[in-house]
Amino acid sequence: GAVVSQHPSWVICKSGTSVKIECRSLDFQATTMFWYRQFPKQSLMLMATSNEGSKATYEQGVEKDKFLINHASLTLSTLTVTSAHPEDSSFYICSAHRDSNYGYTFGSGTRLTVV
Amino acid sequence: AQSVTQLDSQVPVFEEAPVELRCNYSSSVSVYLFWYVQYPNQGLQLLLKYLSGSTLVKGINGFEAEFNKSQTSFHLRKPSVHISDTAEYFCAVTAYTGGFKTIFGAGTRLFVKA
C-alpha cells in the first residue's frame, strides 16, 4: 500500500513555456502532499506543502507565481512550472504522507530539462 | 526547527565488507527518523524508519539502523554490501511543528567496489 505515481518521468520543453507535473496517490487519500526539488548531487529541498482544498504553503525563497501548485482532490496534486527557463531544469519529486506507520511515500520523480 | 547532518558525502567500500552511513540530527521536539535510497534518475525508496519502540530497526535489503537518543544519531548499517547497493542514501527527520515537516540530510554516496 501507499503508492504515489508521478507523471511525466521526464520532459523537455522550450524556454518560456509552461510544464505541468502530476502527483497521484493511488491507494490512499492524501490531504497533504509535498513538492521537492533536487539539483545534481544534492539533497532534496522542500519547495512547498500542498494542502487539499486550500492554498499551498511555500518555503522561503520559492516563487509561488513561478511554481503553481494545485491540490484539487485528495489524490492529485499538480506542480506547474510557468515560463520555464534553463535554470529551472532540475529533478522534481513529490511525496505524500499516509499515516505515521507509513512515513512518506515518494513519486519516482520528474526530470525537467528546459532548452 | 530540526536539522540533519550526514557526516560522509561519499563512502567507498569493497563488496561483502560491512558499511555504516552516519546520520546525526537535532530537534526541539520528538522526531520520526527515516533512511531512503535513491538510484540514478529515480525517486526515493524507503529503507527503514524509526517511529517508536525498539531502537534497533531492520529494513529492506539487509539494512538496519539504531536510534540513539543521547547521541541524537540514527546510523545505517549493513554487515555485507553488494555491488547493487551502490546508490545515494538520505537520512530524513520528520517533526510535527504545527504540521508535519521533513528535512533531508545532504546524502551519502555509497560506492561498492568489486
Side-chain angles (χ1 to χ4, degrees):
Chain A
V3 178
V4 172
S5 173
Q6 189 171 340
H7 178 80
S9 56
W10 61 270
V11 58
I12 301 174
C13 70
K14 291 184 177 181
S15 186
T17 62
S18 296
V19 174
K20 180 185 284 187
I21 303 170
E22 294 186 348
C23 181
R24 295 180 184 273
S25 56
L26 297 185
D27 53 355
F28 67 102
Q29 294 182 331
T31 55
T32 303
M33 292 185 176
F34 304 87
W35 287 97
Y36 294 85
R37 183 174 181 176
Q38 185 182 33
F39 292 101
K41 299 184 179 181
Q42 294 187 30
S43 187
L44 283 73
M45 299 300 297
L46 180 64
M47 298 174 66
T49 301
S50 171
N51 304 297
E52 187 269 335
S54 65
K55 292 183 179 180
T57 303
Y58 290 82
E59 295 299 302
Q60 192 172 13
V62 178
E63 299 176 62
K64 57 183 177 183
D65 295 330
K66 172 81 172 171
F67 299 100
L68 299 179
I69 291 173
N70 184 280
H71 195 155
S73 77
L74 288 170
T75 59
L76 174 64
S77 175
T78 60
L79 169 68
T80 301
V81 183
T82 63
S83 187
H85 292 285
E87 57 265 31
D88 298 324
S89 298
S90 190
F91 194 56
Y92 294 87
I93 306 176
C94 70
S95 77
H97 181 255
R98 179 174 177 176
D99 56 46
S100 60
N101 289 323
Y102 282 88
Y104 288 81
T105 302
F106 286 82
S108 56
T110 298
R111 170 73 62 193
L112 171 63
T113 302
V114 185
V115 298
Chain B
Q2 69 264 38
S3 67
V4 183
T5 302
Q6 289 183 245
L7 298 164
D8 307 295
S9 59
Q10 295 185 69
V11 174
V13 63
F14 284 103
E15 192 174 20
E16 297 183 5
V19 70
E20 178 180 83
L21 306 184
R22 296 180 293 170
C23 174
N24 286 87
Y25 71 94
S26 68
S27 176
S28 57
V29 299
S30 296
V31 297
Y32 301 131
L33 298 158
F34 305 85
W35 274 99
Y36 292 90
V37 60
Q38 183 181 36
Y39 298 101
N41 291 314
Q42 294 187 28
L44 274 68
Q45 180 182 8
L46 180 65
L47 276 178
L48 48 80
K49 59 183 181 286
Y50 172 79
L51 305 179
S52 64
S54 174
T55 57
L56 182 62
V57 180
K58 294 188 182 297
I60 63 172
N61 300 343
F63 284 94
E64 64 179 34
E66 185 158 18
F67 170 56
N68 188 318
K69 189 174 182 178
S70 62
Q71 296 186 8
T72 60
S73 67
F74 190 55
H75 302 332
L76 181 70
R77 302 186 185 97
K78 185 170 182 177
S80 176
V81 294
H82 301 290
I83 298 288
S84 58
D85 291 324
T86 295
E88 191 83 19
Y89 291 80
F90 292 97
C91 179
V93 173
T94 296
Y96 185 84
T97 53
F100 283 106
K101 189 168 184 177
T102 298
I103 300 295
F104 287 83
T108 298
R109 173 75 175 169
L110 175 63
F111 179 60
V112 182
K113 301 177 286 186

